[in-house]
Amino acid sequence: MIIRKMQSADRDQAAEIWLEANLQAHDFIDPCYWNSHLDEVKTQLAQAEGFVCQRETGLAGFIGLQNGFIAGLFVRDSFRGQGVGKALLNRAKEACERLSLDVYQKNRRAVAFYLREGFQIRWESRDIHTGEDEYRMEWNSLSDSERAKGKQNL
C-alpha cells in the first residue's frame, strides 16, 4: 500500500470512490443528492489537497484536506477493513497538528472510527443541505501524545 499526495490525475477514480462510498454509508439520504453533486466534486478534487492510497489495481481510497479540515475520507468498498482509512488518516495527522471534520450522526461506523482514532465530539449541528444531524469532531497532536503517555504509565 502506497500513500501519496493526491494529484489532479486522480480525480476520476476519487470521484467514483466518493460516490460509491456516500451511497453506501449514507443510505438515509436520497441518492439523487449525491449524484447531483458529482460534477462539483470532480472539480473540487482536481484542486484538492490530500492523500490517496495507491494499490496495483488503482486507488483504494483518499482523504481530502482543506486547512486541517477533513473534507472527506473515503475507501473503496473492497478495501474497507484493511487499514486503508487508518493509513490515510495517519498521513493527514503527520501533515497537520489539528484536524476537524463533520460526520453524520447516523453514520455510526464512521463516528466510531474517528473516536477510536482520537477524535472528540465538539458540538452537534444540522447539515443545511440534507437536514441531517451531524457532529463536529476534532483531533490534535497534543491530545494524542497525552494519551500515549497515559498508556505508558499503566
Side-chain angles (χ1 to χ4, degrees), residues 108-121:
R108 290 186 175 98
R109 183 176 178 178
V111 172
F113 169 76
Y114 290 118
L115 288 171
R116 270 193 320 273
E117 296 304 316
F119 283 75
Q120 296 178 348
I121 296 171

Side-chain angles (χ1 to χ4, degrees), residues 5-152:
K5 280 196 163 213
M6 185 181 290
Q7 302 168 358
S8 60
D10 298 321
R11 180 183 68 173
D12 288 338
Q13 281 189 70
E16 180 184 306
I17 294 167
W18 174 88
L19 182 59
E20 173 189 284
N22 274 308
L23 290 171
Q24 291 169 350
H26 307 122
D27 60 354
F28 48 88
I29 295 174
D30 186 336
C32 293
Y33 174 80
W34 303 114
N35 285 303
S36 70
H37 285 82
L38 185 58
D39 288 336
E40 177 186 338
V41 167
K42 284 183 180 181
T43 300
Q44 291 174 350
L45 285 169
Q47 304 161 359
E49 294 181 42
F51 303 96
V52 298
C53 177
Q54 180 75 50
R55 290 287 185 91
E56 291 176 16
T57 57
L59 296 187
F62 72 94
I63 188 168
L65 300 168
Q66 297 171 337
N67 298 318
F69 183 80
I70 298 175
L73 170 58
F74 300 98
V75 177
R76 195 178 294 277
D77 187 39
S78 57
F79 291 102
R80 289 190 197 133
Q82 299 179 29
V84 172
K86 183 175 177 67
L88 287 164
L89 187 57
N90 284 341
R91 183 60 186 90
K93 286 178 175 180
E94 291 171 7
C96 303
E97 289 184 7
R98 295 178 181 271
L99 293 170
S100 63
L101 59 93
D102 294 327
V103 61
Y104 292 116
Q105 291 180 20
K106 289 180 183 175
N107 189 351
R108 290 186 175 98
R109 183 176 178 178
V111 172
F113 169 76
Y114 290 118
L115 288 171
R116 270 193 320 273
E117 296 304 316
F119 283 75
Q120 296 178 348
I121 296 171
R122 293 296 184 203
W123 67 79
E124 298 179 30
S125 63
R126 180 158 293 173
D127 183 341
I128 60 170
H129 304 292
T130 64
E132 291 291 332
D133 293 330
E134 58 188 1
Y135 293 124
R136 169 63 53 101
M137 299 183 79
E138 295 178 350
W139 168 89
N140 68 65
S141 58
L142 180 59
S143 63
D144 243 17
S145 62
E146 288 174 355
R147 272 191 297 282
K149 284 181 190 175
K151 287 180 183 178
Q152 290 173 351

